[in-house]
Amino acid sequence: MTDLRFAWLEITGKCQLSCTHCYADSGPHGNEGVLRAQDWFRVIDEVAELGARSVQFIGGEPTLHPDLPEFVDRALSTGLTVEVFSNLVHVGPRLWDAFSRPGVRLATSYYSDTAAQHEAITRRRGSHDRTRANIAEALNREIPLRAGVIDVSSSNRIGRQRTRAAQSELSRLGVSNVGIDRVRGIGRGANASPGPDQLCGRCGHGAVAVSSSGEVWPCVFARWMALGNILDTDLATILSAARLTSPINAGPSCWPQGGGSCAPNDPPRP
């Protein structure tokens, strides 16, 4: 591992949606994990102490974790910038307050400009309208927000996916940072066991992921490559041991290689 700059913190495996391609294989029956709030506070502190500049809270759906506002505050207090990657299906007043703090950004996924096609992917009726409305609300509150349009048509029988139309709709809503990416062969998006051909080739270069089980990975897409568990030892020790092995070298294009995209979860640029 190289010097740490960024961390994905997967705080829950639960989600209101059951997206057909979910790389984390999360859903309504997902596992909340074993880490307690005090464990996450320690992880956040250690990430900051190791020199990282930003964290991204992910899941599952991170807004389902009752302590997300406290995690955001803890990260900000250590000098980290924060991005929350959410489906934006439901955001209550307490979360809007947390998201409105300086240093916090939002990110979301969007699949089509039509509700029928979007919801064929999310498998949740009403999710299109709710996500669209909360995108508009975030922009109205002047919360920085980016969106990823994920082309899942190759792995779903939904017909020709309206990715470009979705991108245009997001732009009309006022989202200036909109990317399009292909589905990754990880989790429910995989037709077989995941392999290194789905990775960028630079996993472990300045980034790390911590799951709700405490497992540490070099990337959220390299979930089968556990480096250790933060319930057993501290993050510095885990990353130090990982430096003894070579980073993964395979695959075409995802962050942080050359500024490329790793959507739907590419981290904010430091």
Side-chain angles (χ1 to χ4, degrees), residues 51-121:
R53 288 172 277 182
S54 57
V55 294
Q56 185 187 71
F57 292 106
I58 59 172
E61 172 50 37
T63 62
L64 294 180
H65 197 294
D67 297 313
L68 177 58
E70 285 72 31
F71 296 160
V72 169
D73 284 345
R74 186 61 164 252
L76 293 174
S77 72
T78 66
L80 293 163
T81 59
V82 171
E83 184 172 81
V84 178
F85 201 103
S86 169
N87 58 38
L88 294 180
V89 167
H90 177 74
V91 183
R94 186 164 166 258
L95 285 170
W96 281 126
D97 288 344
F99 298 162
S100 298
R101 293 180 173 86
V104 179
R105 302 174 56 87
L106 288 174
T108 194
S109 295
Y110 203 70
Y111 303 106
S112 177
D113 62 325
T114 71
Q117 194 171 70
H118 181 96
E119 291 164 12
I121 295 168

Side-chain angles (χ1 to χ4, degrees), residues 2-157:
T2 56
D3 291 339
L4 188 63
R5 293 181 287 129
F6 170 82
W8 292 275
L9 303 182
E10 187 176 281
I11 59 177
T12 181
K14 286 192 172 182
C15 185
Q16 310 100 320
L17 309 181
S18 300
C19 294
T20 57
H21 62 291
C22 180
Y23 71 92
D25 201 19
S26 61
H29 302 295
N31 194 316
E32 278 194 350
V34 298
L35 269 63
R36 300 162 296 176
Q38 64 192 52
D39 296 318
W40 282 116
F41 289 147
R42 177 172 64 85
V43 170
I44 291 167
D45 291 348
E46 290 179 1
V47 165
E49 289 167 4
L50 288 168
R53 288 172 277 182
S54 57
V55 294
Q56 185 187 71
F57 292 106
I58 59 172
E61 172 50 37
T63 62
L64 294 180
H65 197 294
D67 297 313
L68 177 58
E70 285 72 31
F71 296 160
V72 169
D73 284 345
R74 186 61 164 252
L76 293 174
S77 72
T78 66
L80 293 163
T81 59
V82 171
E83 184 172 81
V84 178
F85 201 103
S86 169
N87 58 38
L88 294 180
V89 167
H90 177 74
V91 183
R94 186 164 166 258
L95 285 170
W96 281 126
D97 288 344
F99 298 162
S100 298
R101 293 180 173 86
V104 179
R105 302 174 56 87
L106 288 174
T108 194
S109 295
Y110 203 70
Y111 303 106
S112 177
D113 62 325
T114 71
Q117 194 171 70
H118 181 96
E119 291 164 12
I121 295 168
T122 65
R123 296 175 176 172
R124 172 72 182 264
R125 177 176 288 184
S127 60
H128 180 266
D129 287 349
R130 292 180 182 182
T131 296
R132 191 181 187 280
N134 282 323
I135 287 172
E137 179 65 19
L139 295 172
N140 184 57
R141 291 172 178 261
E142 299 184 343
I143 300 170
L145 180 144
R146 66 181 180 87
V149 181
I150 315 305
D151 185 351
V152 305
S153 55
S154 62
S155 59
N156 291 267
R157 296 178 180 178

Side-chain angles (χ1 to χ4, degrees), residues 233-250:
T233 188
D234 59 271
L235 188 58
T237 300
I238 293 171
L239 299 186
S240 179
R243 290 191 180 94
L244 301 177
T245 62
S246 299
I248 301 161
N249 286 301

